[in-house]
Amino acid sequence: MKREIMTTGDGSKTIHMPDLNEQYHSKHGALQEALHVFIQTGLEYFLDVSLSRKRNFHQEPLQILEYGFGTGLNAMLTAQHKSNTPIVYTAVEAFPINEEEVSAMDYGQFLNDQQLYKSMHQSGWEEDQEITSYFTLCKKQKTFENIANEDEFDLIYFDAFGPRTQPELWTEAIFNAAYKALKSGGVLTTYCAAGQVRRNMQTAGFMVERLPGPPGKREMLRATKK
């Protein structure tokens, strides 16, 4: 399927798929969307909640699962986050982008850390790689349907292509597996706010919040495992 590099509203780049009229990130701003949905509403929110519960991440690192590694933007922003919290980051991707696309996206220059960007994309698949002293990455090439973890993750970044183009990635079965993969009190965050998606999450057992979305979107969803 044809893929093109496009510049989004905040100057950051993304991959556009003209046959689907779909992008890897928001055309209104790839960086703004990732920061709002996954860092501010996901990572920072979870760390604040954990702090109130007096959780010690030096004894037990924060475990994150990303549905859709894609360009690596969410992982890179997480690795750059100044929390001093050790993070073990598992990213699932069925169709990795190629070297030409990695070079064209060039988030290393845009986010002022070429070495981090290069290390994340050059790291091997199916194995833990220490990217920084606080960030360990494990990339797994498989489909969402094959995720079968149980009580393992604190936080899920759900960043699949939208339900308009790939509804099979937003079903009750997918969210049942995501619910099982989270620890009690774990959080899932996504840019999508579609009514059927929210209902599928609720049927899977999640407590779901509708929150203000990133630029260009009115709402997004955050779900918590009861």
Side-chain angles (χ1 to χ4, degrees):
M1 189 173 294
K2 186 178 181 182
R3 304 199 293 196
E4 303 171 340
I5 306 298
M6 68 173 287
T7 301
T8 68
D10 62 8
S12 58
K13 296 178 182 178
T14 192
I15 297 174
H16 175 63
M17 304 173 73
D19 295 337
L20 296 177
N21 189 27
E22 182 72 281
Q23 292 80 230
Y24 275 59
H25 311 97
S26 170
K27 64 183 180 181
H28 300 283
L31 178 61
Q32 291 180 124
E33 178 189 49
L35 285 171
H36 180 88
V37 175
F38 301 109
I39 303 304
Q40 296 165 6
T41 313
L43 177 61
E44 293 179 356
Y45 167 80
F46 187 83
L47 289 173
D48 285 345
V49 170
S50 297
L51 184 63
S52 70
R53 296 173 181 168
K54 299 181 178 173
R55 177 171 171 181
N56 186 349
F57 284 108
H58 293 288
Q59 295 178 354
E60 185 182 350
L62 175 63
Q63 298 276 351
I64 298 178
L65 171 63
E66 180 178 21
Y67 278 66
F69 181 69
T71 64
L73 178 58
N74 298 330
M76 186 168 179
L77 291 172
T78 302
Q80 287 186 321
H81 191 262
K82 305 299 184 184
S83 66
N84 293 328
T85 298
I87 291 173
V88 176
Y89 194 104
T90 301
V92 172
E93 176 60 59
F95 305 102
I97 67 174
N98 60 42
E99 290 183 11
E100 183 179 345
E101 290 166 332
V102 170
S103 178
M105 297 298 294
D106 200 13
Y107 289 139
Q109 180 175 347
F110 196 77
L111 295 173
N112 301 310
D113 197 334
Q114 290 282 19
Q115 185 56 51
L116 176 61
Y117 183 61
K118 184 183 297 185
S119 296
M120 292 180 64
H121 282 285
Q122 290 181 347
S123 67
W125 291 77
E126 316 302 332
E127 57 183 347
D128 290 349
Q129 298 277 327
E130 187 176 282
I131 305 299
T132 73
S133 58
Y134 285 95
F135 187 87
T136 298
L137 174 65
C138 181
K139 299 182 295 187
K140 295 182 178 291
Q141 188 172 359
K142 62 181 179 180
T143 63
F144 294 174
E145 291 85 353
N146 288 318
I147 294 174
N149 308 75
E150 291 193 20
D151 300 315
E152 186 172 340
F153 299 101
D154 299 293
L155 180 61
I156 289 177
Y157 296 165
F158 201 94
D159 199 16
F161 287 129
R164 175 182 62 83
T165 56
Q166 290 193 297
E168 70 276 11
L169 303 183
W170 302 83
T171 63
E172 181 183 333
I174 292 292
F175 290 117
N176 278 334
Y179 188 89
K180 290 178 182 177
L182 283 170
K183 300 173 187 176
S184 178
V187 170
L188 179 153
T189 184
T190 184
Y191 65 89
C192 183
Q196 187 58 55
V197 169
R198 176 172 51 84
R199 289 188 287 274
N200 288 344
M201 289 180 178
Q202 290 171 329
T203 301
F206 284 105
M207 180 182 70
V208 184
E209 305 170 82
R210 284 184 286 195
L211 302 170
K217 278 190 68 68
R218 188 178 66 180
E219 292 182 326
M220 58 164 284
L221 299 177
R222 183 170 63 208
T224 302
K225 183 171 181 175
K226 297 176 183 178

